[in-house]
Amino acid sequence: MMKRLNRNYLRKKNHVSDAVGSADKLLFKNGSLIDFSKRQIVPQDMLIVNGVVAEIGHLEIDEFDGHQFDIAGKLIMPGLFDMHVHFREPGREDEETLLSGASSAMFGGFTSVCTMPNTEPATDNREIIEYILNSLSNHLIEVHPIAAITIGRKGEQLVEIAELVDAGVIAFSDDGSSVANPMLLRRALDYSRMFDILIIEHCEEPTLAANGAMHEGFMSTKLGLPGIPSIAEELIVARNIMLARYTNGKIHIAHISTKGSIDLVRRAKAEGIQVTCEVTPHHFSLCDEDLETYDTNLKMNPPLRTPSDVEAVFEGLKDGTIDVIATDHAPHSSEEKDVEFDAAPFGIIGSETAVGLTITKLVKAGKLNLIDALEKLSAKPYQVLGLPVPEIRSGAKATISIIDQDIEWMVDKHAFRSQSRNTPFHGMRLHGKSWGVINNGKYLISAQQ
Amino acid sequence: MSSFTLKHLLGLEGVSRDDITTILDTAASFREVLDRPYPKVPTLRGTTVVNLFFEASTRTRISFELAEKRLSADTISFSTATSSVKKGETLRDTAQNIEAMRVDMVVIRHSASGAPHFLSKCIKGTVINAGDGAHEHPTQALLDMMTIRDKFKRIENLRIAIVGDILHSRVARSNIYGLTTMGAQVMLCAPSTLIPYEAHKWPVQISYNVDDAIEWADILMVLRIQLERQQANFFPSLREYHNYFGLTSDRIKRVNRDITIMHPGPINRGVEIESELADSDKSVILNQVTNGVAVRMAVLYLLSGELKSDDEKTKS
């Protein structure tokens, strides 16, 4: 079994390395540059030399000897950043590796990711952080690992936060569960304040959510499945906001999913508490009513909520309560997912559908304007994580995503670069897709693959 | 006879009044077969039916087996109580084996809601749900409706109160769909902790007072209360449950009306119902059991897709 998977994986790796080019000399003609600070889209040509933006503007270059692309109608922006992915390495390399996950991200249009620490063993020490950083050191994708808050994600003892920050950790989270003990989370918030570093919380009160398989509502009542009530999320969001206020720490709510949670964050922001949050594309694209067929690719945590929660997500995205769109890319093997609903693990993959769902379900559906929507995939994650947003000006390192917002395509899970296939979007028609990415002196034109 | 539209019987949600009527009418003619000296018909000769019971069950399994044998089907039964970790693997593997052995129909009982739906996607044969988790138990509701029709000659406009652990009950769900589709009025009566979330979105009334339910109902459908519900704090004690929600002769006597009592079994005597009352002439509990075989014969026959004339069907 492992042998077969490994061969597949090697084949994919070769395939991907063929696809990535060296950004020695690239000329992009007729692009549209998104300027998030001025909220405008400007027609520009762009010349990249040795991974750096050499020139931007209206360029007339005679006898250009590099690669030239006409990108009329395509959008240029700072490289998309997925701040919530699970790449399963170390531990479950049969589901995803750092390399296959990174391929999936770059084909999806991202240039940076934050990997979550629920690996096996948990990412809670310098060795694993260095392993992750080294594995992708030469990659187009920039990886910013998130470490566990507590050793083994057990919620008992803090990890060595200072050393891990030194090792390159960008944020801390026990994602997959909350830090159940409020005293421990208080210490984490107090301690992390020294480094001005983010604590990310998966908000789920464990006793209220116990054994739940889907959102608790009329659908769970009809399907006879144990429910995960909204209150299980909202109670912890409220607690975390209060702790952030008390400690003056920085807290980020992962994959927010309920109207009540969004209201809490909205009020906290108005009060000036340092809280930010993200939503996944599936939480604005699907709802609990889609579960009629017991499809385990609709089983995720937090669960798909009700249509009125989805409406609240649109509102939160629009008024800025929700800062970021992040995928919660969670690969699972088909053996694990191809079972009865109760027995299936939570989570779906999302790297390669995020752009399409954002443009289709938010922009084309009239819920959010194009600039606001793409900013939540591009500039916002950098800001939330305290990183500089990549600039697109001459002399700056090129960290760039190019998106074709008009292309219509059909999701085909078999074409994914991810090693896993657990998506509910297979066969769906979407508008908008990554055209290509440039980062770390490399480029990938996914539109040509 | 009107045409029958179902390929599988996964639940009664969404099943039409015509289809339910067809099943009940067919069951009535099979009920006559069961009363004959030689209660067997050749209807499903050559058809292979497998009974997969992944959860402990005696009554339902025997009822299905008997129904299959009365129809002359070739039957195999498989019972196992599986660990929750392995259950997915077992079901997938079992489904593939069934497919390889060219089985025509599969009857499945499983602790996971949706397991029959999963199976129906894995195999080409017909799937009959014999109870899945807290989701549905359609043949139980059908035999309940048959029993009601036997006694009242109708279902429409009757008042049926389902009393007990609605939250965990697949029997309640199937009956809610079946009975409301057939035009009955349904009331759910239980401690508020055992009424599922947003149950008011069903076309039912909800009551937390068993005396009100008795006052209102023509039929009381009593559900089994399991000890582990007390351990999970759904109610403080079995004693309190019995005192406030248990059906007793005293409670029934207070209303001056004929009331019919049903129970899908197995009965927890002295908890949800007083022993004497369960055995009284108000109870149709044993009629339910007999009708179970007839209803399952009807479901097997109709899903086998060989819709023959009534004469041919009951020819022994």
Side-chain angles (χ1 to χ4, degrees):
Chain A
M1 187 56 155
M2 288 309 291
K3 275 214 168 97
R4 182 176 62 79
L5 288 170
N6 282 340
R7 271 205 303 277
N8 274 343
Y9 152 65
L10 285 173
R11 181 182 56 76
K12 273 186 200 164
K13 194 176 99 180
N14 290 337
H15 179 66
V16 167
S17 57
D18 288 349
V20 176
S22 198
D24 300 339
K25 221 170 190 187
L26 309 172
L27 178 60
F28 299 91
K29 296 285 288 179
N30 309 313
S32 302
L33 176 70
I34 301 189
D35 184 333
F36 291 119
S37 54
K38 295 201 183 103
R39 323 297 304 169
Q40 63 185 19
I41 300 176
V42 193
Q44 298 282 32
D45 304 324
M46 178 171 70
L47 177 66
I48 308 286
V49 178
N50 297 327
V52 170
V53 180
E55 281 184 75
I56 186 136
H58 181 66
L59 306 179
E60 294 290 347
I61 300 171
D62 297 332
E63 293 173 25
F64 181 68
D65 60 353
H67 293 286
Q68 182 167 333
F69 305 93
D70 185 350
I71 55 165
K74 317 284 187 291
L75 301 162
I76 303 171
M77 70 204 76
L80 306 191
F81 194 142
D82 189 351
M83 66 178 288
H84 194 140
V85 301
H86 299 271
F87 283 173
R88 305 294 186 218
E89 191 179 353
R92 288 303 303 268
E93 292 83 356
D94 60 315
E95 295 181 330
E96 197 83 286
T97 63
L98 287 159
L99 276 166
S100 69
S103 294
S104 181
M106 74 179 172
F107 273 90
F110 295 95
T111 59
S112 291
V113 296
C114 286
T115 50
M116 280 295 177
N118 59 340
T119 48
E120 296 171 22
T123 303
D124 61 3
N125 60 65
R126 180 187 274 271
E127 285 68 32
I128 299 181
I129 293 298
E130 285 175 351
Y131 175 76
I132 292 169
L133 291 170
N134 290 337
S135 296
L136 294 175
S137 61
N138 203 25
H139 206 278
L140 185 150
I141 289 286
E142 219 155 283
V143 62
H144 297 274
I146 294 170
I149 298 171
T150 64
I151 294 170
R153 295 174 51 250
K154 290 195 178 124
E156 290 163 6
Q157 182 71 46
L158 287 183
V159 298
E160 293 180 323
I161 290 178
E163 177 174 273
L164 287 166
V165 170
D166 275 346
V169 165
I170 190 142
F172 291 84
S173 176
D174 273 1
D175 187 54
S177 45
S178 299
V179 178
N181 178 344
M183 170 57 94
L184 193 56
L185 187 65
R186 186 231 161 133
R187 293 280 185 258
L189 282 162
D190 271 337
Y191 198 82
S192 64
R193 214 175 51 232
M194 287 192 286
F195 315 101
D196 193 29
I197 205 159
L198 205 57
I199 296 290
I200 301 177
E201 265 271 276
H202 167 125
C203 297
E204 182 184 8
E205 202 289 315
T207 63
L208 285 167
N211 305 321
M214 66 174 289
H215 171 71
E216 181 172 87
F218 186 52
M219 278 308 291
S220 66
T221 287
K222 282 208 318 186
L223 295 175
L225 288 170
I228 301 173
S230 302
I231 186 78
E233 176 174 310
E234 290 155 9
L235 206 59
I236 298 296
V237 170
R239 178 200 74 169
N240 291 351
I241 286 170
M242 293 170 88
L243 283 167
R245 175 170 56 197
Y246 192 74
T247 58
N248 205 25
K250 276 167 70 174
I251 198 129
H252 177 78
I253 311 295
H255 42 53
I256 202 162
S257 71
T258 80
K259 180 178 189 304
S261 302
I262 294 164
D263 288 343
L264 286 164
V265 172
R266 181 178 292 119
R267 272 181 274 152
K269 284 186 165 187
E271 258 188 75
I273 298 167
Q274 298 190 79
V275 55
T276 51
C277 68
E278 73 195 25
V279 70
T280 71
H282 47 271
H283 283 108
F284 61 68
S285 302
L286 300 166
C287 68
D288 66 338
E289 292 176 0
D290 295 317
L291 269 82
E292 197 80 64
T293 58
Y294 293 94
D295 180 356
T296 57
N297 282 326
L298 296 169
K299 182 175 179 181
M300 54 277 278
N301 192 8
L304 296 174
R305 302 289 186 183
T306 66
S308 73
D309 292 305
V310 176
E311 282 304 314
V313 167
F314 293 143
E315 278 305 303
L317 284 164
K318 199 169 179 182
D319 71 9
T321 302
I322 300 173
D323 302 88
V324 164
I325 296 168
T327 64
D328 194 7
H329 179 82
H332 287 292
S333 68
S334 58
E335 293 89 345
E336 278 189 327
K337 274 287 195 183
D338 206 1
V339 295
E340 328 76 278
F341 203 84
D342 265 343
F346 292 104
I348 62 166
I349 52 173
S351 300
E352 293 168 75
T353 46
V355 168
L357 290 169
T358 298
I359 291 176
T360 308
K361 300 291 182 180
L362 297 179
V363 182
K364 300 282 181 196
K367 306 294 180 188
L368 205 59
N369 73 51
L370 181 69
I371 294 178
D372 285 352
L374 292 174
E375 188 179 30
K376 291 177 199 293
L377 285 166
S378 167
K380 286 284 186 179
Y382 295 94
Q383 291 163 356
V384 165
L385 289 161
L387 293 169
V389 181
E391 293 180 81
I392 305 178
R393 54 163 176 80
S394 83
K397 178 193 167 195
T399 298
I400 288 165
S401 293
I402 301 172
I403 286 175
D404 183 343
Q405 62 162 320
D406 297 316
I407 191 170
E408 206 186 325
W409 60 291
M410 189 173 339
V411 179
D412 176 6
K413 64 183 178 183
H414 305 293
F416 284 161
R417 264 64 181 189
S418 170
Q419 250 174 233
S420 288
R421 299 284 175 262
N422 52 313
T423 176
F425 301 113
H426 179 68
M428 187 181 272
R429 292 204 76 83
L430 295 178
H431 286 273
K433 201 174 193 232
S434 171
W435 184 86
V437 285
I438 308 159
N439 192 29
N440 292 338
K442 303 179 195 317
Y443 76 101
L444 168 78
I445 310 301
S446 47
Q448 293 180 347
Q449 299 301 314
Chain B
M1 188 184 286
S2 61
S3 63
F4 188 69
T5 62
L6 301 177
K7 150 92 172 128
H8 306 286
L9 184 65
L10 303 178
L12 289 188
E13 187 189 3
V15 175
S16 71
R17 193 166 176 153
D18 282 352
D19 282 339
I20 291 175
T21 305
T22 302
I23 295 169
L24 297 181
D25 290 347
T26 309
S29 54
F30 279 127
R31 182 73 171 76
E32 288 162 26
V33 170
L34 291 176
D35 291 333
R36 292 178 190 171
Y38 184 71
K40 193 158 177 161
V41 287
T43 317
L44 291 189
R45 189 176 285 162
T47 302
T48 309
V49 186
V50 171
N51 302 304
L52 294 180
F53 280 70
F54 293 91
E55 195 183 57
S57 159
T58 310
R59 307 153 56 99
T60 306
R61 185 170 53 82
I62 289 173
S63 181
F64 265 108
E65 283 178 15
L66 208 51
E68 290 148 11
K69 289 188 198 308
R70 297 281 186 249
L71 291 168
S72 308
D74 296 320
T75 75
I76 305 149
S77 291
F78 171 79
S79 301
T80 176
T82 51
S83 78
S84 58
V85 182
K86 287 283 176 194
K87 65 188 176 187
E89 197 179 74
T90 306
L91 184 53
R92 181 72 178 164
D93 290 347
T94 309
Q96 280 164 349
N97 279 293
I98 291 166
E99 194 70 341
M101 289 187 286
R102 301 181 59 207
V103 167
D104 302 300
M105 304 176 96
V106 181
V107 175
I108 178 174
R109 155 72 62 96
H110 203 289
S111 61
S113 299
H117 302 68
F118 175 74
L119 193 65
S120 73
K121 281 180 255 173
C122 301
I123 64 170
K124 290 194 199 85
T126 293
V127 176
I128 298 172
N129 182 359
D132 64 324
H135 177 232
E136 284 220 43
H137 190 355
T139 56
Q140 176 68 45
L142 288 164
L143 73 88
D144 290 340
M145 287 189 277
M146 180 177 178
T147 308
I148 291 168
R149 220 172 61 158
D150 280 354
K151 175 150 186 182
F152 293 86
K153 310 298 169 212
R154 66 186 166 105
I155 296 172
E156 193 152 14
N157 292 325
L158 286 175
R159 294 173 161 196
I160 296 135
I162 307 176
V163 183
D165 184 357
I166 313 290
L167 178 63
H168 300 95
S169 175
R170 50 194 173 215
V171 175
R173 283 169 179 77
S174 286
N175 266 302
I176 289 167
Y177 297 124
L179 290 169
T180 55
T181 300
M182 298 308 286
Q185 296 179 57
V186 175
M187 175 187 279
L188 308 179
C189 178
S192 42
T193 44
L194 292 176
I195 298 283
Y197 199 75
E198 297 190 334
H200 61 270
K201 291 190 178 172
W202 275 319
V204 296
Q205 301 181 53
I206 292 169
S207 169
Y208 308 126
N209 184 314
V210 77
D211 291 316
D212 289 352
I214 294 168
E215 186 72 43
W216 175 85
D218 300 311
I219 298 161
L220 294 166
M221 194 177 276
V222 189
L223 303 176
R224 176 182 168 82
I225 285 292
Q226 288 177 300
L227 182 60
E228 54 262 38
R229 306 308 174 209
Q230 177 195 328
Q231 286 151 358
N233 282 305
F234 282 103
F235 49 84
S237 68
L238 287 177
R239 178 179 171 275
E240 176 154 309
Y241 185 88
H242 182 70
N243 287 345
Y244 286 80
F245 287 90
L247 283 194
T248 60
S249 306
D250 285 348
R251 283 210 148 99
I252 301 288
K253 273 179 209 147
R254 273 181 232 153
V255 289
N256 212 0
R257 216 155 33 81
D258 190 28
I259 288 181
T260 299
I261 292 170
M262 304 177 75
H263 194 303
I267 302 173
N268 245 333
R269 290 175 184 265
V271 181
E272 69 268 8
I273 187 166
E274 185 190 81
S275 201
E276 185 193 325
L277 189 59
D279 299 331
S280 73
D281 59 358
K282 296 184 188 306
S283 158
V284 291
I285 295 172
L286 291 176
N287 305 40
Q288 289 174 268
V289 177
T290 313
N291 285 340
V293 178
V295 147
R296 286 167 183 131
M297 287 171 80
V299 167
L300 287 158
Y301 163 70
L302 289 166
L303 289 175
S304 74
E306 293 166 29
L307 220 55
K308 297 170 186 167
S309 75
D310 283 12
D311 284 353
E312 226 177 315
K313 183 185 63 194
T314 52
K315 195 165 59 188
S316 53

